[in-house]
Amino acid sequence: AQSVTQLDSHVSVSEGTPVLLRCNYSSSYSPSLFWYVQHPNKGLQLLLKYTSAATLVKGINGFEAEFKKSETSFHLTKPSAHMSDAAEYFCVVSVGRDDKIIFGKGTRLHILP
Amino acid sequence: DSGVTQTPKHLITATGQRVTLRCSPRSGDLSVYWYQQSLDQGLQFLIQYYNGEERAKGNILERFSAQQFPDLHSELNLSSLELGDSALYFCASSASGTSYNEQFFGPGTRLTVL
């Protein structure tokens, strides 16, 4: 069975400093992995996705994530945080075999001025 | 704007009642997904329809049901409502039926059960 764990429920960083949001997954088969962002009172928007091509995935707004099979991780990073990055971020795993989609519990990112 | 529309935006009702939430997918998308988001449970996948047929089922209660119509819009019916059903309900659509395609989310319907 597959699962996804977001290791931090809240992360605070200063504007201009790097962002790291951690995600670990468990899957019996080759997973597809996604990061979605949810700004306050909005729906979710796809940041990036991994579907067994390049292990380093670049997304929108300067975010990227690296798929590490040996560590079963898919951490989201950004070199320099911006105030507009303040939002909730969800790591998502899906396995094509049974087409189940599992969302992590989310990490709320706070940006300090 | 994702292209997915949901109505109504807000819904306030009483326990025991029944409500219907409506979703129109992006033009050309065949799949519709329903999610429930609450503070204690987080974001939970409820059900997926693909081209009118149920495709996958998540943590959907028996009191809840959904359908997708020939014009591809979908409705989520919630009956015998309880206080714990108060949540934000999202609809998402994608081009195909497989879970590794990008989903486009609507703005959500906020349901309050009093």
Side-chain angles (χ1 to χ4, degrees), chain B:
Chain B
D1 183 2
S2 67
V4 177
T5 59
Q6 290 187 248
T7 56
K9 273 192 169 180
H10 301 275
L11 199 48
I12 301 174
T13 188
T15 54
Q17 295 297 306
R18 173 190 168 92
V19 296
T20 297
L21 312 184
R22 184 189 165 99
C23 169
S24 292
R26 285 192 327 155
S27 177
D29 282 358
L30 298 178
S31 262
V32 169
Y33 303 77
W34 285 100
Y35 295 89
Q36 179 194 59
Q37 186 177 37
S38 61
L39 281 174
D40 52 345
Q41 297 284 338
L43 195 64
Q44 301 271 327
F45 165 63
L46 295 178
I47 196 164
Q48 178 201 359
Y49 277 81
Y50 174 71
N51 205 20
E53 301 283 330
E54 184 183 303
R55 181 83 164 79
K57 222 168 186 176
N59 300 325
I60 189 164
L61 299 172
E62 283 193 16
R63 300 183 285 110
F64 296 180
S65 65
Q67 54 184 330
Q68 187 179 27
F69 295 87
D71 68 352
L72 300 177
H73 91 270
S74 179
E75 292 180 355
L76 179 68
N77 300 296
L78 315 176
S79 61
S80 304
L81 285 168
E82 301 175 0
L83 295 177
D85 297 328
S86 295
L88 199 49
Y89 289 85
F90 286 108
C91 161
S93 74
S94 70
S96 77
T98 52
S99 60
Y100 46 82
N101 285 123
E102 176 180 1
Q103 294 182 34
F104 295 86
F105 282 76
T109 293
R110 184 169 294 280
L111 173 66
T112 302
V113 182
L114 301 175

Side-chain angles (χ1 to χ4, degrees), chain A:
Chain A
Q2 62 267 26
S3 65
V4 59
T5 303
Q6 290 184 244
L7 295 150
D8 307 294
S9 57
H10 292 266
V11 169
S12 295
V13 301
S14 297
E15 191 175 20
T17 64
V19 174
L20 169 64
L21 305 183
R22 298 181 296 165
C23 173
N24 285 105
Y25 71 92
S26 170
S27 176
S28 303
Y29 302 94
S30 295
S32 293
L33 295 158
F34 307 77
W35 277 98
Y36 281 84
V37 61
Q38 184 180 25
H39 286 94
N41 301 311
K42 300 277 189 188
L44 280 72
Q45 179 187 17
L46 181 70
L47 273 179
L48 49 82
K49 70 176 181 180
Y50 166 79
T51 54
S52 77
T55 56
L56 183 61
V57 183
K58 293 190 185 300
I60 62 172
N61 301 334
F63 284 94
E64 61 183 40
E66 187 171 6
F67 173 70
K68 290 188 176 180
K69 188 173 181 179
S70 59
E71 298 175 12
T72 61
S73 69
F74 190 57
H75 301 334
L76 182 70
T77 61
K78 182 173 180 177
S80 176
H82 191 272
M83 293 301 289
S84 62
D85 294 328
E88 185 140 25
Y89 293 79
F90 293 92
C91 182
V92 182
V93 63
S94 79
V95 178
R97 184 176 174 88
D98 57 10
D99 258 354
K100 282 204 174 155
I101 305 157
I102 299 180
F103 280 72
K105 291 194 179 299
T107 298
R108 188 164 292 279
L109 178 61
H110 305 270
I111 311 296
L112 308 172

